[in-house]
Amino acid sequence: MASNPQALKSLAVYAGLVGLPLAGLIIILRAGASLQAPLAIAGEWRVQGGPLAIDPDTRVLTVSQSGEHVDVALGTLSLRGRLTGDSLVAGRRGMRDETYGPCPAHVTLRARIDAAARPRRLVGMMGGRAAGCPQLAVDAVQAAPAAGEHP
Amino acid sequence: MNIALLLVQIGVVVIAARGVGILFRRIGQPQVMGEMVAGILLGPSLLGWVAPALSARLFPPASLGFLNSISQVGLLVFMFLVGLELDPRLLRGRGHTAVVTSHASIVVPFFLGSLLALRLYPRLSDASVTFTGFALFMGAAMSVTAFPVLARILTERGLVRTRVGAVAIACAAVDDVTAWCILAVVVAIVRASSGALPVWATVAGSAAFVALMVLGVRRALAPLERRFHRDGRLTQDMLGVILLLVLASAWATETLGVHALFGAFLAGAIMPKGEGFVHALTGKLEDVTVVLLLPLFFAFTGLRTHIGLVEGTEMWGYCGLIVLVAVAGKFGGSAIAARATGMSGREAAAIGALMNTRGLMELVILNIGLDIGVISPAVFAMMVLMALATTFMTSPLLELVYPARLIRRTAPEDGYEGDADAGEDAGRAREHAGVGA
């Protein structure tokens, strides 16, 4: 082997293209261990203390999550927003329905996630800027995490 | 279960898959590319967007469980066929180029995928997933090559009996086995962190099961092949035994905390590899799997793919980054390794282009990732787009870097150890190209 220059060259290439990335992978896994991902909030949240006036028939908030990016469905109302730390802000997507009761546009949910509570709680306000669109208190507890998600 | 609805769903899916598949074939793309796209078109990214009422009526969420169950059975058979295609002869005696290139074509994209995870994890994952699980999954998903699609392209382009063909087919075989082993470990780690079996139990149990299959069951299957040669055909009884073995193996790996698909792949890998036997077995199982069951998997994948989640500059930026990293890792890693070990620039680029094909193997892995919750719906959508992009670019990229006129001119002088074997192997794999192509 040692007398074969091609074999030596292959060995050097192997060390460079296989050995180095493997070493790099170990460094990446160590460096990444300190990274923090957003809170896991995907799943169903059951509204507490009676139905929301904005949609009396709906008592479940369904949250789907891709990291910081969050979709919140409340009945036919669909909001898209962002989770920063424990703070959730989601606004109207305007695709699933064009009018929504007294709040034709700019419905926004601003909430805070209490991650220490068991079950977790989502507490905040939802409403719009339009006249006649009330600001409603939202208080929900996590009922079930999304499928495939760890409890 | 609403049987009438299920039949309509299957009919719509098959029509869409065949129709779009044929269209893609006409523009020089593998048929599987069209079938994958058909699945996306039937999901929320198109049908659900332009005709939400029709989509909700045709694919109500409550009905998708049945569709998924049938598609999973199809996928088990498909993975068995992929394992069946795997011939240990492909892995022997391919020389320095194949060894270095195959390992580099796994490790380089794996490293780059994990590196990308440093950026994506804090933004597109969540705290229910560990960084290790996310990074290892991203690495494994980046390092996949679609062996069946690659075999089909080699045959169609007359590359089978060239040095490029021999190296590519050997590398793809190594990649197939390695990627599934890595993924088995990733799934074990993720499931262990969710409180299922401890990871050591999964790893030890899986190692014992693989040893049992390779050292024990594989030998026990030898009489099956002898009986096949004696009878001159594969009887229904023999097929029944084989299918039971597939189911038992899939059940075992699922119970061990890995995934049922690994068991099906393993069962295929340990099957006797006599050409007549493999051909007969493939012939019995392939058509229904390819025409009926796999399109259901594509449709189910499409129904879970919300391209609308990739919204705005930031998200499309991440998506572009994923495609870039995937191509740089697989194409770049393979091509640099091939060039550095003595292949010409064009040959090395051709190897890179071929290894960059991800096809439906990528979709299989991504669905596992979404099922176990290691990737989020947005990452899933981005990775599906990456799988489509890398599969779509293979044929034009290959034509660009290694045009057909050059292949014909250089092939006769490019004798390469194992060429004849590779030709036969790829020729047989072409039978599967329907599966992957």
Side-chain angles (χ1 to χ4, degrees):
Chain A
M1 278 289 277
S3 61
N4 184 345
Q6 184 60 42
L8 277 177
K9 189 179 173 191
S10 294
L11 200 62
V13 173
Y14 194 88
L17 286 177
V18 179
L20 280 180
L22 278 178
L25 180 64
I26 294 167
I27 295 169
I28 288 170
L29 292 179
R30 287 195 176 167
S34 60
L35 288 176
Q36 279 207 325
L39 286 170
I41 62 166
E44 291 187 348
W45 294 74
R46 194 159 298 282
V47 176
Q48 295 190 111
L52 284 173
I54 198 165
D55 189 346
D57 298 327
T58 305
R59 304 184 68 159
V60 173
L61 289 167
T62 304
V63 178
S64 58
Q65 178 183 19
S66 292
E68 297 172 337
H69 304 265
V70 173
D71 281 345
V72 182
L74 174 65
T76 56
L77 179 67
S78 184
L79 308 173
R80 176 165 286 183
R82 204 164 189 130
L83 178 69
T84 310
D86 61 357
S87 168
L88 169 67
V89 179
R92 178 80 176 275
R93 288 175 64 190
M95 288 182 66
R96 290 175 67 169
D97 63 340
E98 291 308 316
T99 58
Y100 198 82
C103 306
H106 305 301
V107 175
T108 304
L109 168 69
R110 292 175 191 279
R112 212 161 264 287
I113 312 293
D114 184 355
R118 288 290 176 270
R120 286 178 174 172
R121 279 182 75 193
L122 180 153
V123 182
M125 302 293 286
M126 186 164 76
R129 281 178 287 174
C133 182
Q135 289 288 329
L136 302 167
V138 178
D139 185 354
V141 293
Q142 192 165 25
E149 188 167 310
H150 310 156
Chain B
M1 178 169 58
N2 185 340
I3 294 288
L5 177 63
L6 184 64
L7 295 176
V8 170
Q9 288 174 338
I10 293 173
V12 169
V13 168
V14 171
I15 289 169
R18 299 312 291 175
V20 183
I22 289 168
L23 279 179
F24 271 69
R25 214 166 53 199
R26 286 191 179 165
I27 59 167
Q29 285 290 327
Q31 180 150 339
V32 72
M33 181 69 209
E35 294 178 1
M36 286 158 63
V37 169
I40 305 290
L41 299 182
L42 289 174
S45 302
L46 185 73
L47 185 65
W49 183 50
V50 297
L54 175 64
S55 175
R57 196 165 172 181
L58 194 55
F59 297 108
S63 73
L64 298 185
F66 305 119
L67 203 62
N68 182 32
S69 299
I70 298 173
S71 78
Q72 287 301 313
V73 173
L75 212 50
L76 282 181
V77 180
F78 168 73
M79 287 309 299
F80 169 73
L81 290 171
V82 172
L84 188 65
E85 274 311 320
L86 184 75
D87 193 332
R89 284 177 299 178
L90 289 172
L91 313 179
R92 294 190 201 122
R94 297 296 189 210
H96 305 299
T97 303
V99 172
V100 176
T101 307
S102 60
H103 291 184
S105 71
I106 295 165
V107 174
V108 174
F110 197 101
F111 166 73
L112 291 180
S114 306
L115 192 63
L116 181 64
L118 285 172
R119 175 82 186 164
L120 299 186
Y121 178 73
R123 292 161 183 85
L124 296 177
S125 187
D126 63 60
S128 69
V129 181
T130 62
F131 175 79
T132 302
F134 183 76
L136 293 180
F137 183 86
M138 289 299 289
M142 291 287 181
S143 60
V144 171
T145 290
F147 181 83
V149 182
L150 187 143
R152 172 68 175 230
I153 292 172
L154 288 179
T155 307
E156 282 178 351
R157 299 183 65 86
L159 279 166
V160 168
R161 290 179 185 281
T162 65
R163 183 157 68 154
V164 167
V167 172
I169 206 83
C171 291
V174 173
D175 280 22
D176 241 10
V177 177
T178 314
W180 282 105
C181 291
I182 293 169
L183 197 64
V185 174
V186 175
V187 173
I189 289 172
V190 172
R191 285 189 168 171
S193 68
S194 68
L197 277 179
V199 71
W200 68 264
T202 299
V203 170
S206 302
F209 181 67
V210 170
L212 173 74
M213 292 289 276
V214 173
L215 301 175
V217 179
R218 188 164 70 95
R219 286 181 186 165
L221 288 170
L224 208 63
E225 189 176 23
R226 284 201 292 275
R227 190 174 158 192
F228 165 77
H229 287 300
R230 196 182 64 219
D231 294 353
R233 68 194 180 94
L234 192 68
T235 63
Q236 289 182 348
D237 288 341
M238 292 161 76
L239 187 62
V241 169
I242 291 168
L243 288 177
L244 278 175
L245 177 69
V246 176
L247 294 176
S249 181
W251 173 84
T253 52
E254 179 71 27
T255 306
L256 283 168
V258 187
H259 198 284
L261 291 178
F262 299 110
F265 176 77
L266 183 60
I270 62 153
M271 280 285 134
K273 300 297 179 187
E275 193 171 342
F277 181 78
V278 170
H279 193 264
L281 191 49
T282 303
K284 290 261 186 192
L285 296 173
E286 186 181 51
D287 288 349
V288 171
T289 307
V290 171
V291 177
L292 188 69
L293 300 178
L294 273 185
L296 299 182
F297 169 68
F298 295 133
F300 187 71
T301 301
L303 287 164
R304 330 173 74 178
T305 307
H306 296 254
I307 293 177
L309 291 175
V310 189
E311 189 184 62
T313 317
E314 182 192 8
M315 295 294 261
W316 280 108
Y318 291 139
C319 187
L321 199 58
I322 285 174
V323 175
L324 193 69
V325 166
V327 175
K330 203 72 187 181
F331 177 90
S334 313
I336 291 170
R339 183 77 183 99
T341 49
M343 295 188 98
S344 74
R346 281 190 183 277
E347 285 176 327
I351 294 281
L354 286 163
M355 298 303 291
N356 192 38
T357 310
R358 287 183 175 79
L360 101 95
M361 301 301 286
E362 181 74 35
L363 296 191
V364 173
I365 285 179
L366 294 179
N367 273 281
I368 292 174
L370 189 61
D371 284 339
I372 62 175
V374 73
I375 52 171
S376 61
V379 174
F380 178 78
M382 292 175 192
M383 296 290 277
V384 167
L385 290 175
M386 179 273 283
L388 292 176
T390 55
T391 309
F392 189 86
M393 71 172 65
T394 301
S395 290
L397 189 59
L398 197 57
E399 182 57 34
L400 184 73
V401 299
Y402 202 50
R405 58 190 165 81
L406 290 179
I407 297 166
R408 278 191 281 276
R409 204 172 64 205
T410 58
E413 297 93 61
D414 270 341
Y416 185 72
E417 52 178 329
D419 267 2
D421 281 352
E424 286 164 15
D425 295 332
R428 271 215 321 274
R430 185 179 55 78
E431 296 290 323
H432 267 261
V435 175

